Amino acid sequence: MIAITIKGPTVTHHQKHTTMRKIILMMLMLITGMMVNAQKFALVDMEYILKNIPAYERANEQLNQVSKKWQAEVEALSLEAQTLYKNYQNEVVFLSQEQKKVKQDAIMAKEKEAAELKKKYFGPEGELFKKRTALMSPIHEEIYNAVKDISDQRGYQLVLDRASDSGIIFGSPKADISNEVLDKLGYGR
């Protein structure tokens, strides 16, 4: 077996020291560059902002009132279906097959009417969704524009909502621009 030894150039102590200096200098330049280009962040508390906008509270009240009204209409139809069913149960022994079929069809029609009305009002694309969108979209757009203006003025690249489930563990009160957003919207204290 033959052993071959390859020797590289010998590195002196001075060369090691110079190489370390270069690495440290490059790291310092990198850190300085990162600090110069550091991104700026801010926080807002959307719950707090919305609670301080009277139009939002009025819109919520309007939505609650219309929701209760529509819910009462749906419940009234459901109650009618239940009444038809109870009456059917009390009379079933006295009814012919044809009369039973008529009563069953009436019960099913009333239940279907209640279900369709519920879907019309409370479904994913229902009247409540449309009304909420119509009332809330202008408020959210106004808030967005205020946050965008403040971000443009201050150079923020990112604004997070501290009230959402975004996983923010800590946010300095100094980074919270919620009151500034309210001031810009004309709701400052």
Side-chain angles (χ1 to χ4, degrees):
M1 187 170 187
I2 302 173
I4 300 175
T5 306
I6 301 175
K7 286 191 173 183
T10 55
V11 178
T12 65
H13 178 61
H14 177 68
Q15 288 174 325
K16 284 183 186 177
H17 188 63
T18 304
T19 305
M20 283 300 287
R21 283 176 130 180
K22 286 180 183 177
I23 291 173
I24 291 173
L25 185 60
M26 284 176 39
M27 287 175 60
L28 284 174
M29 287 173 46
L30 180 65
I31 291 170
T32 304
M34 287 172 58
M35 287 173 45
V36 168
N37 292 325
Q39 294 181 343
K40 291 177 71 176
F41 302 94
L43 300 173
V44 294
D45 186 335
M46 284 299 289
E47 285 179 18
Y48 171 76
I49 290 171
L50 290 170
K51 284 179 185 174
N52 284 283
I53 297 177
Y56 178 76
E57 293 300 322
R58 286 191 301 271
N60 261 339
E61 184 57 35
Q62 228 179 326
L63 289 170
N64 286 337
Q65 287 175 1
V66 78
S67 179
K68 286 177 186 175
K69 177 183 174 250
W70 290 340
Q71 185 63 37
E73 288 178 33
V74 171
E75 287 174 2
L77 284 176
S78 293
L79 185 59
E80 286 180 38
Q82 289 173 6
T83 302
L84 287 173
Y85 182 71
K86 284 179 186 176
N87 291 343
Y88 171 77
Q89 284 181 319
N90 292 335
E91 302 168 348
V92 73
V93 292
F94 305 110
L95 299 174
S96 68
Q97 282 302 106
E98 199 172 292
Q99 289 172 325
K100 287 179 185 177
K101 174 82 170 116
V102 169
K103 298 262 183 186
Q104 290 171 352
D105 288 347
I107 294 167
M108 290 187 344
K110 193 57 74 174
E111 288 174 342
K112 183 178 178 186
E113 186 181 353
E116 286 174 354
L117 189 62
K118 184 176 183 178
K119 182 180 176 185
K120 174 187 171 192
Y121 287 149
F122 302 107
E125 296 293 321
E127 296 299 317
L128 187 62
F129 172 80
K130 291 175 187 172
K131 190 153 190 75
R132 179 177 286 119
T133 300
L135 290 171
M136 297 299 184
S137 289
I139 296 168
H140 285 272
E141 189 174 324
E142 190 178 11
I143 294 169
Y144 170 81
N145 288 333
V147 170
K148 185 179 180 314
D149 288 348
I150 293 167
S151 296
D152 289 345
Q153 291 169 2
R154 297 246 182 113
Y156 297 133
Q157 283 83 29
L158 180 66
V159 177
L160 301 170
D161 178 11
R162 72 171 20 179
S164 71
D165 295 330
S166 61
I168 297 173
I169 295 171
F170 171 78
S172 170
K174 293 176 185 175
D176 192 325
I177 61 169
S178 300
N179 285 321
E180 192 173 344
V181 171
L182 286 169
D183 288 342
K184 186 144 191 86
L185 293 170
Y187 300 111
R189 295 180 179 200

